[in-house]
Amino acid sequence: MNKKMSSRLVIKCYHINKVEFGDKNDIIDGKLLINEKVESELVKLNDLIEEISISIIKPREHKKYVNSIMDIIPISTKALGCIGNGITHTLTGVYVMLTGKTGDGRQMAEFGSSNGILEEKMILGRAGTPSIDDHIIHFDVVVKGGVPLGRNLAMAAHKVCDIFIQQIRDVLRQLDGRKADEIHEYVDRIVYNKTKVVIIKQIAGQGAMYDNQLLSNEPSGIEGGRSIIDIGNVPIILSPNEYRDGAIRAMT
Amino acid sequence: MGIGPSTKETSLHHFRDPLLDVISNDNDIDLLGVMVVGTPQDNNDKCFVGKRAAYWAEAMRADGVIISVDGWGNSHVDFANTIEEIGKKDIPVVGLSFIGTQASFVVTNKYMDTIVDFNKSEKGIETEIVGENNVNKLDAKKALALLKLRIKKAKNRY
C-alpha cells in the first residue's frame, strides 16, 4: 500500500452574477439579495460600534473612496461536517470587503493604511482579492472613537461583520447540492515513500489588530474559533483540507 | 509592528492559497500538514514558539520545510528565528518573504540562504495596496523547486 486516504472535503461553488438589496437575505438563480434593514439591526449589537454602512460595489466600478481595508472574506458555510471535512457551500462572483475607521477619524491600521480610492488601493484578481468581474459587498464599520485602537475594537468590527455574513451563510447552506455550478473534491492523503514536506505559515499575533482566528464554526468565520494570541502563538498543525476550508480568518 | 496592506494575506488568500495549491498537487511530495505559528511581542516568546515549530517539524520526520511570512520588519525577527531553529536540526528549509528594496532582513543567520522574495511592486516597497506583495503560483513553484534541490543535496551527504 503506498497511499492512505484520510479526510474528504467537497467544496460546492454557487456563482452569483447579481447582488441587490431586498426585504430579506436570499439566493435565487444566481442573484444574491441582502436584507436592507440589516445595518440598523447590527449597529445595536455592540456598544463599540458607532456606525455600519453596507453597500454593493458592482464589477468595474471601483472608483469609490474606502476606509482602510481590514479583510476580504469569502462567503462559505458548512453544509455537512466541520472545517476540513464534509461539504462546504461557497459563493463565487461575490466577496465581502471589511473596511473601518474610528469615530474620531483614525484608520483601522497601524503599519500603513489602505484607505483611498479602491481601484488605487487594491490589485484585483489576485488569490486574496476579488477579480474585476466580481461583486463586492462593502461592509464599512465606524468603531468607537476616543479610545486606544485596541484588540477589542478590531474584534468588534470583525464580529459584527461575521454576524452579517452568517445570515447569508444560513441561506447558502440550504441550497440544493445538485445545483452547484462547480464541485471540487479534496482528499487529505498520506503518500508513503515520497518526500515529506511541511508548510509553515507565520501569521500575525502581536496584539491589537494583529490577530488571526483559527478553526471557527464556519469557513473564514469568527464564531467558535480560537485566536492565535489566546493560544499563545504556539504552532498548531492543520491538515491541508482544514487550511483550504477556511481555517484562518485574517484580522491583520 | 509587522504587516502592511500590501503584504497582508486576506482570509480569501488563505482560502485559495497558491502555496498550498502547488505543494499539495505535486506528485513527488507527501504534504504532512500546514503548521500555523504566530508572532508574539516578547522576544522570549518569539524564541519559544520558533523552537516549538522546529521540534514539530522534526517530530513529523519532515524531509523539508517551506516557511512563508505575511509581513516584514518585526515579523522578520520571528521568521529568522524559526528558520534558524529548523536549520539547527539539519532540516532543509526554504523561506518565502516580501523583501524588495525596503524590507531587508533586520536579523539574519546562516540558514537563511534560500529565500524567495515575493515583492511584486516596481520600487520594491510596501505600497499600501492590498493584494500587491503576496505569494503567487510562480513564487510557490520556485520555493518548492529550491526545496527539492536542498533535500537532494542533504540526502547525498548521508
Side-chain angles (χ1 to χ4, degrees):
Chain A
M1 190 176 74
N2 39 13
K3 252 188 212 176
K4 183 182 153 195
M5 297 306 191
S6 179
S7 304
R8 178 172 171 268
L9 171 69
V10 176
I11 299 184
K12 298 188 177 184
C13 306
Y14 297 85
H15 195 69
I16 294 295
N17 44 45
K18 213 170 192 183
V19 184
E20 285 175 5
F21 285 105
D23 54 3
K24 60 171 187 169
N25 296 299
D26 211 349
I27 300 165
I28 315 159
D29 297 331
K31 184 161 87 174
L32 170 65
L33 286 175
I34 298 166
N35 181 355
E36 58 200 356
K37 297 183 293 288
V38 74
E39 283 174 8
S40 55
E41 290 164 13
L42 292 171
V43 80
K44 290 181 212 147
L45 296 177
N46 192 329
D47 292 343
L48 297 174
I49 306 288
E50 287 187 3
E51 265 176 69
I52 291 170
S53 120
I54 301 169
S55 51
I56 297 158
I57 300 177
K58 289 187 179 153
R60 296 164 203 276
E61 293 184 5
H62 300 114
K63 290 204 190 303
K64 183 185 184 188
Y65 175 86
V66 298
N67 287 318
S68 198
I69 299 165
M70 299 171 70
D71 201 9
I72 306 291
I73 309 147
I75 303 170
S76 317
T77 186
K78 289 311 296 183
L80 186 72
C82 49
I83 301 277
N85 66 64
I87 300 172
T88 293
H89 288 181
T90 192
L91 294 181
T92 52
V94 62
Y95 300 96
V96 175
M97 176 173 72
L98 173 63
T99 62
K101 65 171 182 179
T102 63
D104 50 6
R106 286 170 295 157
Q107 291 296 321
M108 294 292 281
E110 291 180 25
F111 195 65
S113 170
S114 52
N115 63 305
I117 303 300
L118 182 58
E119 68 175 4
E120 295 164 10
K121 289 295 173 182
M122 184 161 72
I123 299 213
L124 299 164
R126 295 279 164 91
T129 60
S131 81
I132 195 157
D133 296 318
D134 291 335
H135 282 78
I136 299 171
I137 301 172
H138 179 197
F139 194 95
D140 185 57
V141 181
V142 179
V143 296
K144 196 176 173 188
V147 292
L149 200 53
R151 192 180 165 194
N152 55 345
L153 292 184
M155 190 49 123
H158 279 276
K159 266 193 178 161
V160 76
C161 182
D162 195 50
I163 293 168
F164 165 71
I165 297 173
Q166 190 61 41
Q167 296 179 359
I168 304 174
R169 288 185 188 123
D170 291 342
V171 178
L172 173 61
R173 185 178 309 112
Q174 306 300 330
L175 294 187
D176 186 342
R178 289 164 300 184
K179 291 189 177 157
D181 294 296
E182 281 176 48
I183 298 178
H184 301 275
E185 186 184 351
Y186 305 95
V187 182
D188 278 337
R189 60 190 202 277
I190 299 167
V191 200
Y192 298 103
N193 303 319
K194 295 278 184 184
T195 304
K196 296 194 281 290
V197 170
V198 183
I199 298 173
I200 301 183
K201 300 278 299 189
Q202 184 185 307
I203 59 174
Q206 290 100 330
M209 58 178 288
Y210 294 98
D211 193 3
N212 281 271
Q213 191 86 342
L214 307 171
L215 294 167
S216 305
N217 297 338
E218 295 277 21
S220 313
I222 295 282
E223 194 59 38
R226 276 137 184 88
S227 144
I228 188 87
I229 300 174
D230 291 338
I231 63 168
N233 285 299
V234 292
I236 66 163
I237 312 287
L238 301 174
S239 82
N241 269 352
E242 284 179 316
Y243 182 73
R244 67 161 61 87
D245 200 19
I248 299 182
R249 167 66 175 263
M251 293 154 74
T252 44
Chain B
M1 283 296 175
I3 298 185
S6 81
T7 58
K8 165 191 169 63
E9 290 184 348
T10 64
S11 296
L12 182 59
H13 183 99
H14 291 296
F15 186 59
R16 44 186 200 191
D17 196 335
L19 184 59
L20 176 69
D21 199 30
V22 165
I23 297 175
S24 65
N25 281 313
D26 190 297
N27 288 328
D28 300 334
I29 301 295
D30 177 19
L31 176 59
L32 302 175
V34 182
M35 193 190 304
V36 176
V37 60
T39 48
Q41 275 286 20
D42 183 83
N43 257 337
N44 289 327
D45 291 341
K46 286 185 193 298
C47 292
F48 176 76
V49 303
K51 255 200 183 106
R52 286 351 294 162
Y55 272 96
W56 254 127
E58 188 179 53
M60 292 165 90
R61 303 292 184 260
D63 295 313
V65 172
I66 289 184
I67 177 168
S68 88
V69 50
D70 75 339
W72 53 283
N74 183 289
S75 303
H76 277 162
V77 178
D78 309 78
F79 187 64
N81 179 54
T82 304
I83 290 177
E84 185 171 21
E85 294 295 341
I86 295 166
K88 281 199 282 194
K89 296 198 169 297
D90 218 4
I91 301 170
V93 53
V94 170
L96 281 150
S97 173
F98 164 69
I99 302 169
T101 55
Q102 188 176 25
S104 311
F105 292 120
V106 286
V107 283
T108 178
N109 57 64
K110 66 172 178 174
Y111 304 104
M112 293 172 75
D113 56 353
T114 318
I115 310 283
V116 176
D117 177 5
F118 57 75
N119 163 61
K120 307 280 182 297
S121 73
E122 219 169 282
K123 289 184 177 158
I125 57 166
E126 169 51 70
T127 52
E128 301 184 351
I129 299 172
V130 175
E132 183 154 40
N133 293 319
N134 282 161
V135 171
N136 63 17
K137 261 195 174 167
L138 187 62
D139 301 319
K141 281 182 182 166
K142 267 190 224 166
L144 183 57
L146 287 167
L147 184 69
K148 283 182 180 177
L149 280 174
R150 293 207 65 164
I151 291 172
K152 208 171 160 189
K153 250 193 201 165
K155 280 189 174 158
N156 287 342
R157 267 194 281 133
Y158 302 125

